[in-house]
Amino acid sequence: MQLPVSVLNGAGKETEMSLAGIGILTVGDLMEFVPARYDDMRLKNPSEAAHDEKVTIEGTIQTEPSVMYYGKKKSRLTFKMLSGPHVINVTFFNQPYLKKKAGIGDTVTVTGKWDRHRLALSGQVLEAGQYRREMDFEAVYLLRNAISLKLFRKLVLQAIDLYGSYIEETLPENILRKYRLMDRKEAIRALHFPESQEEMKQARRRFVYEEFFRFQLKMQALRKVIREQSGGVVQKYDLVKLKKLIDSLPFELTNAQKKAVNEICADMKSRYRMNRLLQGDVGSGKTAVATLALYASVTAGYQGALMVPTEILAEQHAKSLHDMLEPFGVHTALLTGTVKGKKRRLLLETLAAGEIDILIGTHALIQDDVLFHNLGLVITDEQHRFGVNQRRILRGKGKNPDVLFMTATPIPRTLAITVFGEMDVSIINEMPAGRKVIETYWAKEEMLGRVLDFTEKELRKGRQAYVICPLIEESEKLDFQNALDVHAQLSSYFHGKFTVGLMHGRLSGDEKEAVMKSFSANELNVLVSTTVVEVGVNVPNATVMIIYDAERFGLSQLHQLRGRVGRGSEQSYCMLIADPKSETGKERMTAMTETNDGFVLSEKDLELRGPGDFFGRKQSGLPEFKMADMVHDYRVLETAREDAQTFIDSPSFWTDEEYHLLRTILTESGVLSNEKLD
Ligand code: ADP
Ligand code: MG
């Protein structure tokens, strides 16, 4: 298979170069080159051919073929052909010589583009006599003009004839049997020369599985390496105490929370380092889960750290953790940029002495002089807000502490297990009972007056409102201008009745905090803001969320914004002001009004915008697959992942001769030498 393509007849120097240009160097490359599509070559009855489709039709010539010349070297050959009961007008452009091929009364087959309305066939190929078909389906390749389709097919056919018997099976025997997958020899042939639609499907099914399986094998091996080579701390937590804390909570944990706690605790107890992502919608109770995990760590004799992206959030978390854990004799402390001087010094001393059990804070936690006594568990909230470096520094403050990342951005499962394939993922996909659904409405711009009337009613009840300004992609300046405009408008609209605050990216950190604090204290009734307000602030008294130009936001982002309201006991509302022109735009607005489930929306977003757009172009980190499609083949991806995990975890995978070839995937990609770690 490593033979150069030049061993083939017809592949001279020039062809060899051309093929190299499209990445084909060896006979193996040639055989694995994936067709872009297949042309249906089956003989069609005119009555069943679709408009504009390429079809092959057989018939008898009814009128003498005649050629008309026009322009320079341009010609048109026409005749009428009888096919079944239909009389078809056939035209060939610029192939006058075809006239010699057939005459009136002859049977011919014509391949061309079908015009259903005019019963006309714009011919490309004319064959005399009855249809002698070789293949029902013909593979078409994207060759970028490197080489002709005809020659390419010839070479592929020759390669398979001469070297097909050397094709090695790459999937384990039991996998092939389990899913009834075509063996590799057969699948390669069927990929290029399928005898039926079914064969095409089966060949594709095999290669999709293979791609995912190989990819997941690497991911799962990496995961194993990260766990085992890092030698984490064994945290022997006190289950009885943990249960007491759970019993003391004012609510029953949801099943999803219980499952997440179990998964996290199992990791903590093991001798491997935890490397886990906890996903859950806003308000699904991640903080409660984090608190339990931190407490477990404390009962095992370790310290814990919780790092969040903003000061307000840190304060909120510190307070709720303190309230929950203080009765259990746990010492918590808050460290942010505003903790300074003597107070800070004292805090760091007690931390280093191990007298503080849990430290909550912003990135102030990762300053050099912050030293723990024995850090066992690190949790970061809204993990995408922190850079890889910041997370690593925090982790470095202990000896391989267990690490948990939390995010409220629901990532579709397919993407999560691909992009975060080397991490373990826990998902809280269930909301605590009794949560009020946020009523969501989609309003056109001309209805803004009514939206504001409604808002005023809520404000008069003492509630508060967020107004999110239009988002101008890649123009912070315009975002800023919009915020100023909207703020000015609403200030005059509510003048003398309600106060309107303003929040945008040009404010300094301190200024932002100040605005948020006065909104939080209900000194501001309305907060006009750009998307900076997105991260988990909690103002339970806010019941209205208005989003201008909502069609400019992704569904996940809209959902995040909506999650700012509905945090108290009152009914909350989200109003999307949008006038989308496209169908998908309308579909997205409708989806928002129909569901409050972040995971459903993120799947929808993925479906409507595709995987590339999901994370934004910059940091997609998505692998490329040749045949497989992460969105449409996601079930296969899941299955392949489970299978890969089973293999990686089984001792025989690492020793048996049968798996030698699979193991070379791992050695070749460098996964085993752990190059990807950090
Ligand atoms: P998240 O961090 O996922 O946004 P939180 O943990 O802050 O969610 O929980 C949001 C609110 O719901 C908090 O007031 C919390 O006390 C409450 N809560 C958490 N879990 C439950 C539950 N199982 N049942 C009822 N309320 C809960
Ligand atoms: Mg939270």
Side-chain angles (χ1 to χ4, degrees):
M1 289 313 114
Q2 293 305 320
L3 292 171
V5 282
S6 56
V7 299
L8 299 171
N9 255 333
K13 261 268 146 305
E14 205 178 314
T15 305
E16 198 181 350
M17 298 263 286
S18 308
L19 287 173
I22 50 173
I24 298 173
L25 299 173
T26 65
V27 170
D29 294 338
L30 187 65
M31 293 198 287
E32 285 172 22
F33 197 80
V34 176
R37 64 185 161 85
Y38 297 89
D39 276 342
D40 186 348
M41 305 303 283
R42 288 175 298 185
L43 203 54
K44 280 273 160 68
N45 190 326
S47 56
E48 62 186 31
H51 184 63
D52 257 3
E53 195 188 14
K54 187 177 165 187
V55 293
T56 301
I57 292 176
E58 189 186 278
T60 327
I61 299 184
Q62 292 267 292
T63 58
E64 192 59 43
S66 70
V67 180
M68 238 186 60
Y69 290 91
Y70 60 100
K72 264 188 196 165
K73 292 186 196 165
K74 286 191 176 166
S75 71
R76 188 168 64 207
L77 170 77
T78 52
F79 57 84
K80 287 188 194 300
M81 174 171 97
L82 184 71
S83 177
H86 309 277
V87 177
I88 297 168
N89 297 304
V90 181
T91 311
F92 280 90
F93 288 100
N94 309 324
Q95 298 189 59
Y97 46 85
L98 289 179
K99 188 170 157 41
K100 293 198 201 94
K101 236 175 159 169
I104 195 160
D106 289 350
T107 296
V108 290
T109 49
V110 179
T111 301
K113 203 165 164 189
W114 178 238
D115 182 335
R116 188 191 162 100
H117 311 299
R118 295 174 39 239
L119 290 185
L121 194 56
S122 174
Q124 290 156 6
V125 183
L126 174 73
E127 297 284 354
Q130 280 183 338
Y131 186 50
R132 295 175 313 264
R133 71 167 171 213
E134 283 162 20
M135 304 297 294
D136 280 351
F137 298 95
E138 237 172 37
V140 181
Y141 308 83
L142 270 187
L143 301 172
R144 289 192 255 131
N145 293 328
I147 164 178
S148 79
L149 196 55
K150 205 165 162 186
L151 177 57
F152 189 83
R153 284 194 187 124
K154 240 177 72 187
L155 293 176
V156 176
L157 184 63
Q158 199 189 135
I160 293 174
D161 278 351
L162 294 177
Y163 303 103
S165 56
Y166 298 104
I167 294 173
E168 270 185 295
E169 182 51 64
T170 46
L171 287 175
E173 184 58 41
N174 54 348
I175 290 283
L176 291 180
R177 251 184 291 122
K178 185 169 165 197
Y179 303 117
R180 298 167 192 271
L181 295 175
M182 258 183 183
D183 71 49
R184 200 158 203 277
K185 275 193 194 87
E186 187 60 15
I188 293 256
R189 186 203 48 76
L191 178 69
H192 300 286
F193 305 102
E195 277 173 6
S196 64
Q197 219 151 5
E198 180 59 21
E199 261 201 9
M200 247 156 62
K201 216 172 91 189
Q202 292 302 335
R204 181 172 190 281
R205 193 165 74 88
R206 187 227 137 87
F207 287 117
V208 167
Y209 180 91
E210 178 174 338
E211 269 195 299
F212 281 153
F213 181 71
R214 291 169 73 108
F215 172 74
Q216 285 295 345
L217 207 58
K218 283 188 257 178
M219 283 309 206
Q220 297 308 319
L222 185 62
R223 176 175 157 266
K224 182 182 163 80
V225 167
I226 289 178
R227 283 163 72 98
E228 297 184 2
Q229 292 192 353
S230 58
V233 288
V234 179
Q235 306 204 48
K236 294 205 188 84
Y237 60 90
D238 188 329
L239 186 60
V240 177
K241 284 186 179 170
L242 187 60
K243 283 200 166 137
K244 278 210 178 108
L245 174 60
I246 293 175
D247 288 340
S248 82
L249 295 175
F251 45 75
E252 168 101 9
L253 292 179
T254 62
N255 285 330
Q257 280 174 314
K258 283 181 198 159
K259 183 156 177 270
V261 171
N262 282 336
E263 287 165 348
I264 292 165
C265 283
D267 277 359
M268 287 183 12
K269 201 165 57 183
S270 83
R271 66 191 168 85
Y272 304 129
R273 202 189 81 201
M274 170 161 70
N275 185 36
R276 186 172 283 278
L277 179 71
L278 176 63
Q279 283 195 62
D281 227 328
V282 178
S284 62
K286 292 183 298 299
T287 312
V289 170
T291 307
L292 293 171
L294 287 165
Y295 181 61
S297 189
V298 172
T299 67
Y302 288 91
Q303 291 172 298
L306 174 60
M307 183 160 82
V308 301
T310 68
E311 253 174 56
I312 311 168
L313 214 53
E315 282 170 21
Q316 282 176 4
H317 279 53
K319 182 168 182 327
S320 66
L321 258 73
H322 173 83
D323 292 351
M324 256 195 273
L325 296 177
E326 215 238 359
F328 291 82
V330 177
H331 294 131
T332 60
L334 171 70
L335 179 61
T336 64
T338 51
V339 180
K340 290 188 178 114
K342 193 165 167 223
K343 202 175 160 206
R344 181 168 187 276
R345 234 176 16 248
L346 201 69
L347 188 148
L348 294 186
E349 268 171 38
T350 41
L351 182 71
E355 286 158 28
I356 291 173
D357 300 311
I358 297 173
L359 186 64
I360 299 127
T362 54
H363 46 263
L365 293 195
I366 57 174
Q367 286 158 345
D368 284 343
D369 56 350
V370 179
L371 300 171
F372 289 80
H373 175 63
N374 60 348
L375 182 60
L377 174 63
V378 172
I379 303 183
T380 59
D381 197 4
E382 296 306 336
Q383 59 104 12
H384 60 286
R385 298 271 160 170
F386 295 107
V388 176
N389 255 338
Q390 290 176 318
R391 299 197 307 248
R392 183 170 46 207
I393 295 172
L394 184 58
R395 196 157 70 212
K397 291 193 178 288
K399 289 201 190 81
N400 285 323
D402 286 320
V403 180
L404 180 69
F405 305 103
M406 302 201 291
T407 178
T409 311
I411 302 163
R413 193 168 159 75
T414 45
L415 290 188
I417 66 178
T418 310
V419 180
F420 303 110
E422 83 286 8
M423 284 169 88
D424 293 298
V425 180
S426 292
I427 293 181
I428 307 186
N429 55 2
E430 178 185 5
M431 283 297 199
R435 235 351 105 70
K436 282 209 173 69
V437 167
I438 301 164
E439 284 180 29
T440 303
Y441 301 97
W442 164 25
K444 301 258 166 83
E445 222 169 290
E446 60 264 27
M447 286 156 72
L448 186 61
R450 283 172 62 189
V451 169
L452 292 179
D453 281 349
F454 178 86
T455 306
E456 191 165 341
K457 274 191 201 130
E458 284 291 300
L459 293 176
R460 262 192 254 123
K461 286 190 228 165
R463 317 264 189 275
Q464 290 163 277
Y466 291 96
V467 179
I468 305 300
C469 298
L471 172 82
I472 313 288
E473 198 107 36
E474 264 121 51
S475 171
E476 214 191 298
K477 202 169 149 199
L478 287 179
D479 272 353
F480 172 63
Q481 192 55 48
N482 274 326
L484 292 185
D485 290 349
V486 174
H487 179 253
Q489 277 163 19
L490 293 184
S491 294
S492 72
Y493 185 89
F494 289 125
H495 183 73
K497 290 186 271 186
F498 301 106
T499 50
V500 183
L502 175 63
M503 172 89 133
H504 54 74
R506 293 229 179 146
L507 297 179
S508 71
D510 287 348
E511 287 168 325
K512 275 186 213 149
E513 298 274 348
V515 175
M516 252 355 271
K517 274 203 177 119
S518 52
F519 187 63
S520 212
N522 202 359
E523 292 156 13
L524 292 170
N525 306 114
V526 179
L527 183 62
V528 171
S529 176
T530 56
T531 52
V532 291
V533 80
E534 197 184 327
V535 181
V537 277
N538 195 16
V539 182
N541 190 48
T543 56
V544 179
M545 167 60 66
I546 301 174
I547 305 174
Y548 279 58
D549 281 2
E551 76 268 23
R552 299 201 187 187
F553 297 87
L555 283 180
S556 294
Q557 203 178 9
L558 287 174
H559 181 66
Q560 284 289 306
L561 289 167
R562 175 167 65 182
R564 298 303 109 222
V565 297
R567 302 172 83 84
S569 51
E570 303 302 328
Q571 177 60 52
S572 289
Y573 307 90
C574 174
M575 260 105 39
L576 308 169
I577 316 287
D579 230 334
K581 299 283 173 281
S582 68
E583 277 312 306
T584 49
K586 288 174 193 164
E587 221 179 302
R588 284 167 53 211
M589 293 306 112
T590 311
M592 281 298 293
T593 63
E594 282 173 353
T595 181
N596 264 270
D597 186 328
F599 283 99
V600 172
L601 287 170
S602 75
E603 297 286 352
K604 187 92 192 164
D605 219 8
L606 179 61
E607 184 192 313
L608 293 176
R609 298 203 297 171
D613 273 353
F614 195 84
F615 288 111
R617 263 142 248 104
K618 267 175 279 166
Q619 43 125 167
S620 92
L622 291 170
E624 302 238 343
F625 295 109
K626 280 199 282 186
M627 291 194 91
D629 177 320
M630 286 197 316
V631 180
H632 293 105
D633 301 317
Y634 76 95
R635 274 179 228 278
V636 186
L637 177 60
E638 290 261 358
T639 313
R641 177 171 188 262
E642 280 160 29
D643 292 337
Q645 196 165 333
T646 310
F647 273 93
I648 293 293
D649 288 344
S650 100
S652 62
F653 172 80
W654 300 96
T655 50
D656 282 12
E657 185 50 36
E658 190 193 341
Y659 305 123
H660 173 76
L661 212 59
L662 286 178
R663 288 196 300 268
T664 55
I665 300 174
L666 302 180
T667 35
E668 276 169 14
S669 63
V671 170
L672 297 182
S673 53
N674 195 0
E675 283 158 12
K676 227 188 121 176
L677 188 59
D678 285 339

